[in-house]
Amino acid sequence: MDYYKILGINKGASEDEIKKAFRKLAHKYHPDKKGGNEQKFKEINEAYSILSDKGKREQYDRFGRAFDGGGGSREGAGPFEGFGFGFDPSAFSDFSDMGDIFDAFFEGLGVRQKRRAYHRGSDIEIVVEISLEESFRGAEKEIKYRAGAGCEKCEGKGHDIKAGLEKCVACGGKGEIKEVRKTFFGGFTQIKDCKECRGLGEIPKRICVSCGGLGKIIAERQLKIKILPGVSDGQVIKIQGVGEAGERGAEAGDLYAVIRIKPHQVFRRQENNLIINKEVNLIDILLAKKIGIPTIGGNKLSVEIPADFSLRNNLKIAKEGMPILGSFGRGDLIVELEIKTPKNLSIKAKKILEDLEKELD
């Protein structure tokens, strides 16, 4: 493992350059940050623990490794030297909360997490059943569901508005408290959101009795949703802000309506095409008679089967299928022909067919 390459420095790099490279990379690859990489973070830490120690660095430069078996930092220094943290080997017994440890570490670098506010409302998913005709034409459906709605008495605030708020005693109105912890990195002083006021610095003087301080109550809600022509089975329609109400006036969740199209007695849908099974009389085909084909729009087409058409194939009627969502196009109507032969033939009919057979030969 090339420790210089890991830190992105050359072999002649000074102590300040090593420290600066470590800080930059540790900040970039912290596992709890977007784009972070836990394995990379460990490699950076290991590289720094060797190259920041003069003796270990000399051994590494000569032999490609350090031989004291420590694998960690020199006494009193360590990979976190200069960050304001002491290193206490006895603290290695505490592995309880890596997330808090890394948060505290990066607070030491000046990276402060955003204060926690009240919880956003949960998203809600409901199933909306429609017919194939409604999917074809589009529809407006009225739906009802039970969910947390903003409490009218306190206007969703969770407390008596007239009584107002007062400064949180637990944190002195700061919204945060200091917490000292011993970890395997040593002693950390961590700034955390106050649990009493949840980081806001204020608490209600009088809780709303109707909602118990949550700012929402369970109620039946009613909503109309617009379904566009061509919507397919399983498609999800998102309606923003009409899900579960947020806690004490926080943002409401969203509603996700999952479309389910009921089976149709005549048509089957295949993407934007419709498939219909049609029984036709062999005699009608031979006599080139037109056959009636129903459409999803309620019309009836009169279709003549071409003289050279192979009855093993399906008949396609262009642009008589489902609307293509978001465009003016339409799919096709696919007709699966099922040939019906007469059960009993009279002598006269048999003679006609025999004469026809000779004519075809």
Side-chain angles (χ1 to χ4, degrees):
M1 187 178 291
D2 190 338
Y3 292 136
Y4 291 101
K5 188 175 180 181
I6 289 171
L7 295 182
I9 55 177
N10 55 47
K11 285 193 174 183
S14 65
E15 289 184 10
D16 286 340
E17 288 174 327
I18 293 171
K19 189 179 295 182
K20 188 182 293 184
F22 168 72
R23 289 180 176 179
K24 181 179 178 181
L25 292 171
H27 187 279
K28 179 179 180 182
Y29 291 105
H30 175 236
D32 287 351
K33 289 177 65 68
K34 186 178 180 181
N37 187 313
E38 185 176 357
Q39 183 60 38
K40 188 75 174 175
F41 185 83
K42 289 179 181 178
E43 290 177 0
I44 293 163
N45 181 39
E46 182 181 339
Y48 182 81
S49 69
I50 299 299
L51 299 183
S52 62
D53 185 294
K54 188 176 180 180
K56 292 178 182 178
R57 184 178 179 183
E58 287 178 356
Q59 289 182 14
Y60 176 76
D61 288 344
R62 290 181 64 189
F63 306 109
R65 57 171 292 187
F67 292 96
D68 66 356
S73 308
R74 67 184 181 278
E75 185 178 352
F80 300 98
E81 178 186 30
F83 288 83
F85 304 134
F87 182 73
D88 181 7
S90 65
F92 271 76
S93 60
D94 183 6
F95 288 86
S96 60
D97 193 344
M98 287 292 293
D100 285 347
I101 293 166
F102 284 122
D103 285 345
F105 171 69
F106 279 94
E107 282 173 15
L109 296 176
V111 180
R112 180 76 174 98
Q113 297 292 321
K114 186 179 180 181
R115 276 189 187 178
R116 187 181 295 115
Y118 290 124
H119 290 301
R120 172 186 181 273
S122 301
D123 295 333
I124 295 175
E125 181 181 294
I126 62 170
V127 174
V128 179
E129 273 197 337
I130 63 173
S131 66
L132 188 62
E133 285 83 0
E134 287 174 319
S135 173
F136 173 74
R137 298 188 180 93
E140 189 174 72
K141 302 288 284 187
E142 189 174 274
I143 57 174
K144 293 180 181 180
Y145 58 101
R146 290 182 65 80
C151 176
E152 293 183 359
K153 188 168 184 179
C154 65
E155 299 179 8
K157 301 298 182 183
H159 63 270
D160 189 326
I161 299 173
K162 291 181 180 179
L165 304 169
E166 61 184 356
K167 185 169 68 174
C168 177
V169 177
C171 64
K174 293 180 180 179
E176 56 190 25
I177 57 174
K178 288 184 179 180
E179 185 179 274
V180 179
R181 295 188 59 189
K182 274 204 164 191
T183 71
F184 63 85
F185 284 133
F188 284 82
T189 300
Q190 187 176 8
I191 298 174
K192 301 187 74 174
D193 288 334
C194 174
K195 293 181 179 179
E196 296 297 321
C197 65
R198 306 183 72 168
L200 298 176
E202 295 178 315
I203 58 175
K205 288 183 178 179
R206 190 179 301 141
I207 295 295
C208 175
V209 294
S210 294
C211 63
L214 290 177
K216 59 182 179 179
I217 57 174
I218 300 298
E220 186 172 274
R221 304 175 71 175
Q222 193 168 307
L223 180 71
K224 284 186 178 180
I225 62 172
K226 188 176 182 181
I227 299 172
L228 297 177
V231 66
S232 57
D233 186 72
Q235 193 160 338
V236 178
I237 300 173
K238 176 184 175 182
I239 304 100
Q240 194 168 1
V242 296
E244 189 83 17
E247 186 181 70
R248 298 185 186 179
E251 181 186 5
D254 301 325
L255 176 72
Y256 292 86
V258 182
I259 301 299
R260 293 296 177 202
I261 301 175
K262 292 179 281 190
H264 199 274
Q265 291 183 339
V266 177
F267 300 100
R268 303 194 317 271
R269 183 171 180 174
Q270 189 177 75
E271 296 182 352
N272 294 312
N273 295 331
L274 288 176
I275 301 172
I276 183 173
N277 183 272
K278 180 66 177 178
E279 187 181 81
V280 292
N281 193 301
L282 178 61
I283 302 300
D284 291 339
I285 294 175
L286 294 174
L287 295 176
K289 287 185 178 181
K290 292 185 178 181
I291 57 175
I293 306 292
T295 68
I296 189 64
N299 299 322
K300 196 166 187 177
L301 303 176
S302 185
V303 179
E304 183 179 338
I305 297 177
D308 58 347
F309 184 76
S310 173
L311 298 179
R312 289 179 297 179
N313 298 331
N314 294 328
L315 186 65
K316 184 174 79 172
I317 304 173
K319 298 183 179 180
E320 285 293 340
M322 295 295 291
I324 299 173
L325 193 64
S327 75
F328 295 103
R330 286 182 62 179
D332 301 326
L333 178 61
I334 309 298
V335 183
E336 295 178 341
L337 296 174
E338 185 177 331
I339 309 303
K340 182 181 179 182
T341 57
K343 289 184 178 180
N344 298 307
L345 288 175
S346 65
I347 297 174
K348 184 178 180 181
K350 287 182 179 180
K351 181 67 170 63
I352 292 172
L353 290 175
E354 288 171 356
D355 291 341
L356 176 62
E357 182 183 20
K358 292 175 183 178
E359 186 177 322
L360 293 174
D361 290 340

